[in-house]
Amino acid sequence: MELLIVSASQRTGSQSAKIARYLSEKADSFRKINHVELCQYQLPFWDGSADSKSADDSSWPLIAQQIKNADALVLITPEWGGMASPLMKNFLLMCDSQDSAHKPALLVAVVSGISGAYPIAELRMNALKNNKLVATPDHLIIRNVEQVLNHDEPEDKRELHIRERIDYSLHMLMQYAQALKTIRLNHQQQPYPKQQEYCYGV
């Protein structure tokens, strides 16, 4: 089982990347773990055309291959003005359902204060329709992110709770990855007649 962790802050040295590194260390039930920090890649602004993904110097083909290889994804976005980051939205628009469909995704919001629910709600509502990723029922909101997951041991009970919730969420993500792999195999071996007519979600 392969896991792809995508962190979508538009800043280098971000808290989102810090959380991605922590999750990478904890997701040891996966055979292989890749972390894509989107701000480190040259990505075009998707204009609706498949050609824009492979424009000169675009890094998208490299990322698309990692999506194709993955059995599960973790999508980490900072909260910017109550929204998911533009980089995360662009990433999800560029995902091809041939690579991403019927794969579980753990949604993670990172916020410096005490909010963080809005990016999760936004991603659940309208970000997974055409790429057909399957958001797990559990999600993570890492609040006051500068104060947590900085050391080997938790600083207080609140951080201990966050760490335990992370462990549980990654455990369940593996369960969904195993289950949905069966669905993907069945979908390939027993395709629905004219299934390409239903390539877009409703």
Side-chain angles (χ1 to χ4, degrees):
M1 288 286 169
E2 292 194 23
L3 175 65
L4 176 61
I5 300 176
V6 180
S7 58
S9 175
Q10 297 179 206
R11 301 184 180 118
T12 58
S14 68
Q15 294 295 317
S16 297
K18 179 188 82 173
I19 298 303
R21 290 189 293 271
Y22 181 85
L23 295 177
S24 296
E25 295 171 0
K26 292 298 179 178
D28 52 10
S29 57
F30 287 88
R31 177 181 61 84
K32 184 176 181 181
I33 302 166
N34 292 312
H35 171 211
V36 170
E37 187 178 358
L38 291 178
C39 68
Q40 301 284 355
Y41 290 81
Q42 186 69 32
L43 292 178
F45 185 75
W46 190 62
D47 62 4
S49 167
D51 293 340
S52 67
K53 299 180 185 181
S54 56
D56 290 346
D57 74 8
S58 170
S59 301
W60 183 253
L62 298 173
I63 295 175
Q65 186 61 49
Q66 294 189 63
I67 298 168
K68 184 174 183 177
N69 293 342
D71 295 290
L73 289 85
V74 176
L75 305 178
I76 306 173
T77 180
E79 182 180 61
W80 281 20
M83 295 180 285
S85 76
L87 270 183
M88 177 59 76
K89 295 177 187 179
N90 194 50
F91 167 83
L92 291 167
L93 284 168
M94 293 174 73
C95 284
D96 187 327
S97 64
Q98 295 297 316
D99 299 330
S100 59
H102 315 301
K103 295 182 178 182
L106 172 64
L107 306 181
V108 182
V110 171
V111 62
S112 60
I114 60 171
S115 55
Y118 288 110
I120 299 293
E122 180 183 17
L123 293 177
R124 285 193 184 280
M125 181 175 66
N126 58 24
L128 310 175
K129 182 176 84 73
N130 289 350
N131 54 50
K132 298 194 176 184
L133 287 165
V134 180
T136 61
D138 301 290
H139 60 258
L140 296 169
I141 302 175
I142 312 298
R143 296 183 169 102
N144 301 117
V145 66
E146 290 95 340
Q147 283 78 52
V148 298
L149 306 180
N150 296 316
H151 308 288
D152 291 339
E153 297 297 327
E155 295 288 294
D156 52 30
K157 289 183 178 180
R158 185 182 78 87
E159 184 175 344
L160 177 61
H161 173 72
I162 291 171
R163 290 172 183 244
E164 290 173 345
R165 171 64 71 169
I166 287 171
D167 290 344
Y168 166 76
S169 298
L170 290 172
H171 172 78
M172 290 308 303
L173 182 64
M174 170 58 86
Q175 302 298 309
Y176 277 94
Q178 292 170 333
L180 287 176
K181 187 168 187 176
T182 301
I183 291 178
R184 293 199 304 277
L185 289 173
N186 289 342
H187 189 60
Q188 292 170 7
Q189 295 167 4
Q190 304 171 27
Y192 186 81
K194 300 182 180 179
Q195 68 182 29
Q196 286 306 309
E197 293 185 11
Y198 306 102
C199 60
Y200 301 114
V202 175

